[in-house]
Amino acid sequence: MEIVILAVVIALVAVGLISGLVVSSRKKKQLPPSAPSSTPTITPPAEPRVGEEAETPRDEARRTTEEVGLPGGTPVEETPVVIEPEAPRLEVPEPTAGRLVRLRARLARSQNSLGKGLLTLLSRDNLDEDTWEEIEDTLLTADVGVAPTQELVERLRERVRVLGTRTPDELRTLLREELVTLLGPELDREVKTEGGEGTPGVVMVVGVNGTGKTTTTGKLARVLVADGRSVVLGAADTFRAAAADQLQTWGERVGARTVRGPEAGDPASIAFDAVKEGIAEGADVVLIDTAGRLHTKTGLMDELGKVKRVVEKHGPLDEILLVLDATTGQNGLVQARVFAEVVDITGIVLTKLDGTAKGGIVIAVQRELGVPVKLIGLGEGPDDLAPFEPGAFVDALIGD
Ligand code: GDP
């Protein structure tokens, strides 16, 4: 009996030992081959793909030291390399001078329908009534507006008559001069950001949602940073949920802080806080993005009026820029009229001129509001906002 019990015990011990060996050898197989037990947890590198060599920890250490700029890629034995999370890298926006010239090709559509179209018509041997009508139609189709079109045609007719025979160069010069005159070369197009004694310049950006208001505010921050100014952004467009995030992203790229409030919060209090922050930081300029709901004129007036009044508790505003989408043509002019009745617009930003053949809207909108176009948007890129220069604009339309 005792012998039987002893044999059973020996058998059990033997089975236990064998299964233990199997389990532990399985466990070993699951561990990476050379991982010492004291190594801190490292996210395992991705499995090497076919044709790639597996990277050993030593390779990793060498690569890391090369990345942090240690000489010669000397491997640092056993010393864990701590990499601080990178601070967001600031972008250096393009200088603003000459941007319109750089972006002139973007006006291709307006160039073909307005500039080249006019030159072709004016070059005809016989400038009869029909041709003058075609010239008029070309201007109207490009959204130049009725009154400016008539003025231009009248002046062109007179000068062509005086000129007699015309060379292509003479025609180009003549058309250039008349178009530039219509654009008001004498108008002051500087975006004012002086501010007061110890207070930043304050610019309010208004316009219907979708016109490119938030994008323009972001691009304008870059224009100012490019010109060496420090900027604080106020995200007072609390109507569109993503507007504050969008603005903050623009700001972060150039090191401008964004003041924002709760979703659907009070735009006026955010605008007020933004200027307060600007003063506290000693910033040069505060840019305030607003919501442009054209629900009712009274609603718009109440909202923008309140933002303006509240901001002005800190000091007067330097600019109220109206953003208009050039592709909306006459509809844009109607919007412009409504906004001009609600607040005193001091400058116009015409966006999306890269997407329209109707470059003449620049002339029409200035006439409509009696306010200069100060900036134009020529694309979705971060530096596709250019100070408006009548001469360079006309040169882009008709070619030098
Ligand atoms: P908001 O609602 O007025 O603030 O409009 P957003 O700033 O969000 O802009 C609406 C859209 O217009 C975005 O897709 C912008 O990238 C685009 N946009 C703005 N300015 C321009 C421009 O000058 N050219 C082009 N092609 N697109 C633009």
Side-chain angles (χ1 to χ4, degrees), residues 13-31:
V13 169
V15 167
L17 275 176
I18 290 165
S19 65
L21 274 175
V22 171
V23 170
S24 74
S25 75
R26 271 200 202 127
K27 271 187 195 149
K28 268 189 193 141
K29 271 187 197 151
Q30 284 166 355
L31 286 175

mmCIF file of all heavy atoms in Angstrom, residues 13-31:
data_model
loop_
_atom_site.group_PDB
_atom_site.id
_atom_site.type_symbol
_atom_site.label_atom_id
_atom_site.label_comp_id
_atom_site.label_asym_id
_atom_site.label_seq_id
_atom_site.Cartn_x
_atom_site.Cartn_y
_atom_site.Cartn_z
ATOM 1 N N VAL A 13 4.589 14.326 -8.767
ATOM 2 C CA VAL A 13 5.703 15.299 -8.762
ATOM 3 C C VAL A 13 6.327 15.388 -10.150
ATOM 4 O O VAL A 13 6.608 16.473 -10.674
ATOM 5 C CB VAL A 13 6.746 14.908 -7.694
ATOM 6 C CG1 VAL A 13 8.019 15.735 -7.864
ATOM 7 C CG2 VAL A 13 6.167 15.110 -6.293
ATOM 8 N N ALA A 14 6.502 14.219 -10.774
ATOM 9 C CA ALA A 14 7.129 14.203 -12.105
ATOM 10 C C ALA A 14 6.279 14.960 -13.107
ATOM 11 O O ALA A 14 6.778 15.802 -13.866
ATOM 12 C CB ALA A 14 7.304 12.751 -12.562
ATOM 13 N N VAL A 15 4.940 14.725 -13.083
ATOM 14 C CA VAL A 15 4.030 15.430 -14.022
ATOM 15 C C VAL A 15 4.087 16.934 -13.777
ATOM 16 O O VAL A 15 4.187 17.747 -14.694
ATOM 17 C CB VAL A 15 2.578 14.886 -13.863
ATOM 18 C CG1 VAL A 15 1.576 15.798 -14.571
ATOM 19 C CG2 VAL A 15 2.495 13.470 -14.389
ATOM 20 N N GLY A 16 4.074 17.308 -12.465
ATOM 21 C CA GLY A 16 4.145 18.750 -12.109
ATOM 22 C C GLY A 16 5.393 19.388 -12.674
ATOM 23 O O GLY A 16 5.360 20.472 -13.248
ATOM 24 N N LEU A 17 6.520 18.723 -12.510
ATOM 25 C CA LEU A 17 7.790 19.291 -12.974
ATOM 26 C C LEU A 17 7.777 19.484 -14.488
ATOM 27 O O LEU A 17 8.167 20.529 -15.000
ATOM 28 C CB LEU A 17 8.945 18.355 -12.582
ATOM 29 C CG LEU A 17 9.490 18.543 -11.167
ATOM 30 C CD1 LEU A 17 10.558 17.481 -10.860
ATOM 31 C CD2 LEU A 17 10.082 19.955 -11.021
ATOM 32 N N ILE A 18 7.314 18.457 -15.195
ATOM 33 C CA ILE A 18 7.323 18.526 -16.667
ATOM 34 C C ILE A 18 6.422 19.658 -17.145
ATOM 35 O O ILE A 18 6.821 20.507 -17.932
ATOM 36 C CB ILE A 18 6.874 17.177 -17.274
ATOM 37 C CG1 ILE A 18 7.968 16.131 -17.028
ATOM 38 C CG2 ILE A 18 6.575 17.311 -18.769
ATOM 39 C CD1 ILE A 18 7.516 14.716 -17.236
ATOM 40 N N SER A 19 5.164 19.773 -16.582
ATOM 41 C CA SER A 19 4.257 20.840 -17.073
ATOM 42 C C SER A 19 4.800 22.204 -16.711
ATOM 43 O O SER A 19 4.677 23.162 -17.460
ATOM 44 C CB SER A 19 2.838 20.642 -16.529
ATOM 45 O OG SER A 19 2.857 20.807 -15.122
ATOM 46 N N GLY A 20 5.457 22.310 -15.526
ATOM 47 C CA GLY A 20 6.072 23.599 -15.143
ATOM 48 C C GLY A 20 7.102 24.023 -16.154
ATOM 49 O O GLY A 20 7.168 25.180 -16.551
ATOM 50 N N LEU A 21 7.917 23.068 -16.577
ATOM 51 C CA LEU A 21 8.952 23.381 -17.563
ATOM 52 C C LEU A 21 8.328 23.884 -18.861
ATOM 53 O O LEU A 21 8.767 24.870 -19.441
ATOM 54 C CB LEU A 21 9.777 22.119 -17.868
ATOM 55 C CG LEU A 21 10.932 21.849 -16.918
ATOM 56 C CD1 LEU A 21 11.576 20.508 -17.280
ATOM 57 C CD2 LEU A 21 11.952 22.969 -16.984
ATOM 58 N N VAL A 22 7.264 23.222 -19.275
ATOM 59 C CA VAL A 22 6.608 23.611 -20.529
ATOM 60 C C VAL A 22 6.061 25.019 -20.430
ATOM 61 O O VAL A 22 6.311 25.871 -21.283
ATOM 62 C CB VAL A 22 5.480 22.606 -20.881
ATOM 63 C CG1 VAL A 22 4.668 23.133 -22.054
ATOM 64 C CG2 VAL A 22 6.067 21.255 -21.174
ATOM 65 N N VAL A 23 5.328 25.319 -19.317
ATOM 66 C CA VAL A 23 4.743 26.658 -19.161
ATOM 67 C C VAL A 23 5.833 27.708 -19.157
ATOM 68 O O VAL A 23 5.764 28.712 -19.849
ATOM 69 C CB VAL A 23 3.892 26.723 -17.880
ATOM 70 C CG1 VAL A 23 3.485 28.164 -17.588
ATOM 71 C CG2 VAL A 23 2.664 25.835 -18.009
ATOM 72 N N SER A 24 6.906 27.460 -18.339
ATOM 73 C CA SER A 24 7.928 28.517 -18.254
ATOM 74 C C SER A 24 8.625 28.709 -19.592
ATOM 75 O O SER A 24 8.982 29.825 -19.945
ATOM 76 C CB SER A 24 8.924 28.229 -17.138
ATOM 77 O OG SER A 24 9.761 27.202 -17.544
ATOM 78 N N SER A 25 8.788 27.609 -20.349
ATOM 79 C CA SER A 25 9.434 27.815 -21.647
ATOM 80 C C SER A 25 8.506 28.585 -22.572
ATOM 81 O O SER A 25 8.946 29.399 -23.368
ATOM 82 C CB SER A 25 9.856 26.498 -22.267
ATOM 83 O OG SER A 25 8.720 25.842 -22.771
ATOM 84 N N ARG A 26 7.165 28.419 -22.446
ATOM 85 C CA ARG A 26 6.226 29.208 -23.256
ATOM 86 C C ARG A 26 6.311 30.674 -22.894
ATOM 87 O O ARG A 26 6.353 31.553 -23.722
ATOM 88 C CB ARG A 26 4.794 28.698 -23.003
ATOM 89 C CG ARG A 26 4.437 27.588 -23.956
ATOM 90 C CD ARG A 26 2.935 27.457 -24.038
ATOM 91 N NE ARG A 26 2.625 26.128 -24.505
ATOM 92 C CZ ARG A 26 1.800 25.290 -23.894
ATOM 93 N NH1 ARG A 26 1.188 25.665 -22.790
ATOM 94 N NH2 ARG A 26 1.591 24.108 -24.393
ATOM 95 N N LYS A 27 6.380 30.916 -21.531
ATOM 96 C CA LYS A 27 6.462 32.316 -21.077
ATOM 97 C C LYS A 27 7.684 32.981 -21.670
ATOM 98 O O LYS A 27 7.646 34.104 -22.144
ATOM 99 C CB LYS A 27 6.525 32.362 -19.555
ATOM 100 C CG LYS A 27 5.148 32.413 -18.899
ATOM 101 C CD LYS A 27 5.325 32.637 -17.419
ATOM 102 C CE LYS A 27 4.044 32.338 -16.658
ATOM 103 N NZ LYS A 27 4.310 31.837 -15.307
ATOM 104 N N LYS A 28 8.811 32.258 -21.626
ATOM 105 C CA LYS A 28 10.059 32.823 -22.150
ATOM 106 C C LYS A 28 9.921 33.187 -23.613
ATOM 107 O O LYS A 28 10.381 34.225 -24.048
ATOM 108 C CB LYS A 28 11.185 31.816 -21.954
ATOM 109 C CG LYS A 28 11.905 32.046 -20.655
ATOM 110 C CD LYS A 28 13.136 31.205 -20.590
ATOM 111 C CE LYS A 28 13.683 31.193 -19.179
ATOM 112 N NZ LYS A 28 14.192 29.871 -18.811
ATOM 113 N N LYS A 29 9.200 32.328 -24.336
ATOM 114 C CA LYS A 29 9.046 32.595 -25.757
ATOM 115 C C LYS A 29 8.301 33.899 -26.001
ATOM 116 O O LYS A 29 8.512 34.584 -26.986
ATOM 117 C CB LYS A 29 8.305 31.438 -26.411
ATOM 118 C CG LYS A 29 9.240 30.350 -26.881
ATOM 119 C CD LYS A 29 8.499 29.328 -27.662
ATOM 120 C CE LYS A 29 9.345 28.067 -27.766
ATOM 121 N NZ LYS A 29 8.531 26.873 -27.883
ATOM 122 N N GLN A 30 7.406 34.252 -25.058
ATOM 123 C CA GLN A 30 6.618 35.466 -25.271
ATOM 124 C C GLN A 30 7.408 36.738 -24.995
ATOM 125 O O GLN A 30 7.046 37.817 -25.423
ATOM 126 C CB GLN A 30 5.386 35.439 -24.365
ATOM 127 C CG GLN A 30 4.325 34.494 -24.917
ATOM 128 C CD GLN A 30 3.268 34.182 -23.888
ATOM 129 O OE1 GLN A 30 3.378 34.594 -22.745
ATOM 130 N NE2 GLN A 30 2.256 33.458 -24.296
ATOM 131 N N LEU A 31 8.487 36.631 -24.247
ATOM 132 C CA LEU A 31 9.272 37.838 -23.940
ATOM 133 C C LEU A 31 10.182 38.184 -25.105
ATOM 134 O O LEU A 31 10.640 37.294 -25.812
ATOM 135 C CB LEU A 31 10.145 37.575 -22.698
ATOM 136 C CG LEU A 31 9.416 37.537 -21.358
ATOM 137 C CD1 LEU A 31 10.415 37.142 -20.276
ATOM 138 C CD2 LEU A 31 8.800 38.875 -21.034
#
